[in-house]
Amino acid sequence: MNQLFSSVRVGRYMLPNRLAMAPMTRSRADAAGVPGDLAARYYAQRAGVGLIVTEGTQPSDDGQGYLTTPGIYSDARTDGWKKVTSAVHDAGGHIFIQLMHAGRMSHPDNTPHHRQGVAPSAIAPGAPMFTAKGMQDIPAPRALTTVEVRQTVQDFRTSAGRAIEAGADGVEIHGANAYLLHQFLAPSANTRTDQYGGLVENRARFAIEVATAITEEIGADRTAIRLSPGTTMWGIDEGAEGPDLYRYLVAELDKLGLAYLHIMHQGNDPLLSDIRKLWKQPLVLNRPGRPRDRIGSDVASGLADLEAYGQMVLANPDFVARLKANAPMNDADRNTFFGGAAQGYVDYPALSA
């Protein structure tokens, strides 16, 4: 456990401990996708972890999937994030904004332009989504043209520059959990016949191009990516080639010298071991549902350089202090995860209270 509280270099930053706040959608931006004062307070409260990774933040109108999620592609949205990053830095923390394009995991009622979602191929995920009108089935997306794929890469590049302008320490590319980058990786969502479909190398191309563009814009030492090998949610099936695709992708991304790789582990231990060997930079590991008595075990074994936690950090703004004191943890209130105001967002009590 003590190793968790040792410093670690991630990109250009020396972090005070090896604990990270995992990205979590909270749906509390305003209707225009601007994070407000409550978001600044929420993230600053949790600045005791070595690294905060924000909720998924869309790089364009097409990138929005859910209601009231923040963007980072206009002056107003950038100014909103400036308040958040300033509050985190004032509290002594480090913050990476996660760039997330939802792809087909979207509904026209949830986006500013009210258009059909976009994806590698015109294949619906077969899942419902919450909208202002209640739960609705997600319609089939429109397949991006090859030119539009390249423009989407540029959208990621521009939004990364915006994130740095907003004061973020870096960006994490969301390549996991059935969103756009992950859709390109999975043959169940990608039946393209151009250079972005078919072979493993082609399906990995979009993710590599996005990461490369962002490193060119803001530097590799401020660029990271999150992957979730083996995820099967929302119609995603990576197929028999899935493990080999990730071995190829991780090896190619490693050449870029990114700040870190964030893995959401789904149980394939041999693949995780291979990724650890292939990846020469810091590895952040998130094991969903990890019990408290296993906190610190991946850092202690050398499998990870940092461990990421979601609900425990959400419910315990003083997460690090509670671990050090072996104090009890607050339970997360699932009823307040998405949307709303202060309740379940900035009102979880700290030990000092």
Side-chain angles (χ1 to χ4, degrees), residues 2-283:
N2 287 342
Q3 290 173 279
L4 281 178
F5 310 124
S6 63
S7 61
V8 60
R9 177 162 292 280
V10 172
R12 64 176 63 183
Y13 308 104
M14 184 62 73
L15 306 182
N17 59 62
R18 296 167 182 262
L19 291 158
M21 176 177 173
M24 291 173 282
T25 297
R26 302 307 310 274
S27 295
R28 282 173 167 85
D30 69 15
V34 178
D37 292 341
L38 275 179
R41 184 177 169 193
Y42 166 72
Y43 284 115
Q45 285 177 340
R46 290 153 180 82
V49 296
L51 177 65
I52 289 172
V53 185
T54 74
E55 61 212 281
T57 303
Q58 54 261 15
S60 64
D61 285 349
D62 281 341
Q64 183 165 358
Y66 305 103
L67 286 171
T68 60
T69 53
I72 183 70
Y73 56 100
S74 70
D75 290 345
R77 297 177 181 95
T78 303
D79 288 344
W81 278 112
K82 286 179 180 178
K83 295 179 182 179
V84 175
T85 62
S86 178
V88 169
H89 292 151
D90 287 347
H94 293 82
I95 182 169
F96 273 45
I97 292 177
Q98 189 191 64
L99 301 180
M100 171 183 146
H101 191 305
R104 70 182 189 176
M105 294 306 300
S106 180
H107 194 284
D109 287 354
N110 290 353
T111 63
H113 53 28
H114 302 301
R115 293 204 296 260
Q116 183 182 19
V118 296
S121 302
I123 303 170
M129 173 171 283
F130 184 78
T131 72
K133 298 175 183 176
M135 296 299 290
Q136 298 189 63
D137 288 336
I138 298 174
R142 178 178 64 80
L144 291 162
T145 66
T146 304
V147 171
E148 288 173 328
V149 173
R150 294 175 183 146
Q151 179 55 53
T152 304
V153 172
Q154 294 308 306
D155 290 342
F156 273 98
R157 177 198 290 266
T158 302
S159 62
R162 286 271 191 180
I164 298 304
E165 179 188 343
D169 297 302
V171 302
E172 179 182 284
I173 305 160
H174 199 339
N177 295 17
Y179 298 116
L180 185 65
L181 269 72
H182 199 184
Q183 291 159 28
F184 272 90
L185 301 179
S188 66
N190 179 357
T191 58
R192 300 177 72 93
T193 56
D194 64 0
Q195 64 264 46
Y196 295 99
L199 297 173
V200 161
E201 294 82 357
N202 288 349
R203 284 185 277 125
R205 189 184 307 276
F206 180 64
I208 295 167
E209 288 184 353
V210 168
T212 301
I214 292 176
T215 63
E216 292 171 352
E217 185 71 21
I218 67 172
D221 57 357
R222 296 195 289 197
T223 305
I225 191 166
R226 190 182 207 216
L227 303 173
S228 58
T231 290
T232 58
M233 61 202 304
W234 297 326
I236 290 294
D237 184 349
E238 296 166 348
E241 293 181 317
D244 285 339
L245 182 149
Y246 281 102
R247 292 182 182 99
Y248 170 78
L249 175 59
V250 168
E252 291 300 304
L253 291 172
D254 184 69
K255 296 175 183 178
L256 298 176
L258 303 184
Y260 67 84
L261 169 64
H262 186 175
I263 294 291
M264 184 174 179
H265 187 47
Q266 300 293 341
N268 188 333
D269 290 330
L271 177 58
L272 179 60
S273 178
D274 287 347
I275 289 172
R276 171 81 270 193
K277 294 171 185 173
L278 289 165
W279 187 255
K280 306 302 190 298
Q281 315 304 323
L283 180 69

Side-chain angles (χ1 to χ4, degrees), residues 1-2 4-5 19 49 292-293 295-296 307 309 312-313 318-329 351:
M1 178 70 78
N2 287 342
L4 281 178
F5 310 124
L19 291 158
V49 296
R292 178 169 177 170
D293 63 6
I295 293 176
E307 296 179 9
Y309 293 91
M312 281 194 278
V313 179
D318 54 349
F319 179 62
V320 176
R322 287 175 186 265
L323 286 179
K324 287 181 176 179
N326 196 28
M329 297 280 183
L351 282 173

Side-chain angles (χ1 to χ4, degrees), residues 311-312 315-318 322 327-332 347-351:
Q311 292 183 30
M312 281 194 278
N316 297 277
D318 54 349
R322 287 175 186 265
M329 297 280 183
N330 300 320
D331 292 327
D347 64 343
Y348 282 103
L351 282 173

